[in-house]
Amino acid sequence: MNFSHIIWDFNGTILDDVKTCIECINEMLLKRNIPVLLGYEDYYRHFKFPIIDYYKSVGFDFNKEPFDDVLAPEWVDLYLKKVKDAKIREGALEAINFFSKYGLKQVVISATEYCMLKKQLTDLKIVNLFDDFIGLDNIHAKSKIELSKNWFACEKPKKALFIGDTLHDLEVANSLSCDCVLISGGHQSEETLKSKCKNVFSDYKNIIDYVVNY
């Protein structure tokens, strides 16, 4: 293996929670008489980082309701109730186990708040499959670039691969000067991912092949 470390995004990459996120945001929109998102394509059209820009795009008025103090906490409460039904993405667990078998160190770096991330990994019974997991100290999901840089500076990986599902993951990988592959079917469309990233796959078997043949 030419890679020493695998850096994983969590939401949309390991956890298949796009449907959950659409349900949560639509419940909030309905409550405010704002038009709901009409399925995955509509969600993909709006979703972006930082998350506050996504909320602005779907129609929330921050002059009426602040993002940090009202909207973000409301979304988290809804999400924690609904996400219990979300599963690990097909093929992700096999990839994690494969990389472990060959001695690659694996870490989850997420824009999810740390305690929330820990609980989700624990509930999914995969927390022990990773050498480390790192989340934000807040629920605002602004960026994980600084978080990743801090980990990178401490760990000093010889050769790392970042696996994610959004262009923000590509931005993080670029900030670390490490290689990146993106998996479609997460929180951004395949078309959006391919507009910026040359290594976009729809199946984790292809990612395993990429790592083996790198």
Side-chain angles (χ1 to χ4, degrees):
M1 293 290 173
N2 287 300
F3 291 104
S4 60
H5 292 69
I6 303 292
I7 307 171
W8 290 88
D9 169 58
F10 180 63
N11 301 92
T13 302
I14 294 174
L15 183 66
D16 187 5
D17 66 347
V18 179
K19 182 174 180 288
T20 302
C21 291
I22 295 173
E23 291 174 354
C24 292
I25 206 72
N26 277 348
E27 187 166 328
M28 292 174 66
L29 292 170
L30 275 172
K31 179 181 176 181
R32 293 161 174 85
N33 294 314
I34 301 173
V36 299
L37 302 182
L38 302 176
Y40 282 70
E41 291 305 315
D42 207 13
Y43 177 75
Y44 288 150
R45 187 166 61 87
H46 289 284
F47 186 83
K48 66 191 73 175
F49 276 90
I51 293 297
I52 191 171
D53 290 344
Y54 159 54
Y55 276 63
K56 187 183 298 182
S57 177
V58 298
F60 290 106
D61 186 345
F62 300 143
N63 292 319
K64 293 181 179 178
E65 297 177 294
F67 173 76
D68 288 359
D69 297 331
V70 176
L71 297 173
E74 181 179 340
W75 186 89
V76 168
D77 286 344
L78 287 171
Y79 179 82
L80 291 177
K81 292 174 184 176
K82 295 176 181 292
V83 77
K84 296 173 184 177
D85 295 327
K87 307 298 183 184
I88 297 173
R89 284 196 60 171
E90 183 178 354
L93 186 58
E94 289 78 4
I96 294 166
N97 286 328
F98 180 88
F99 298 143
S100 293
K101 177 181 176 181
Y102 285 92
L104 280 70
K105 288 189 175 182
Q106 298 185 82
V107 58
V108 174
I109 300 182
S110 174
T112 297
E113 189 272 332
Y114 175 82
C115 292
M116 187 172 160
L117 175 63
K118 181 179 180 180
K119 185 178 188 311
Q120 286 187 277
L121 290 169
T122 302
D123 289 347
L124 291 168
K125 296 180 173 57
I126 59 173
V127 66
N128 293 327
L129 298 180
F130 299 97
D131 296 279
D132 202 357
F133 56 91
I134 301 164
L136 295 178
D137 61 0
N138 61 75
I139 61 170
H140 305 142
K142 292 179 180 177
S143 174
K144 56 191 176 189
I145 289 178
E146 289 306 312
L147 201 67
S148 301
K149 284 184 175 180
N150 291 338
W151 172 84
F152 211 81
C154 292
E155 184 68 19
K156 296 180 174 61
K158 182 180 178 181
K159 180 72 173 175
L161 174 69
F162 201 110
I163 302 176
D165 71 307
T166 69
L167 293 183
H168 182 57
D169 295 317
L170 178 62
E171 291 173 353
V172 175
N174 289 340
S175 75
L176 303 175
S177 298
C178 73
D179 201 27
C180 181
V181 296
L182 299 178
I183 186 88
S184 61
H187 287 277
Q188 288 190 308
S189 70
E190 184 174 33
E191 181 181 9
T192 296
L193 301 182
K194 286 185 174 180
S195 70
K196 300 288 185 181
C197 183
K198 63 180 181 179
N199 299 314
V200 178
F201 301 105
S202 59
D203 192 311
Y204 273 107
K205 292 178 182 177
N206 298 127
I207 294 180
I208 291 173
D209 290 341
Y210 179 89
V211 172
V212 170
N213 296 313
Y214 186 86

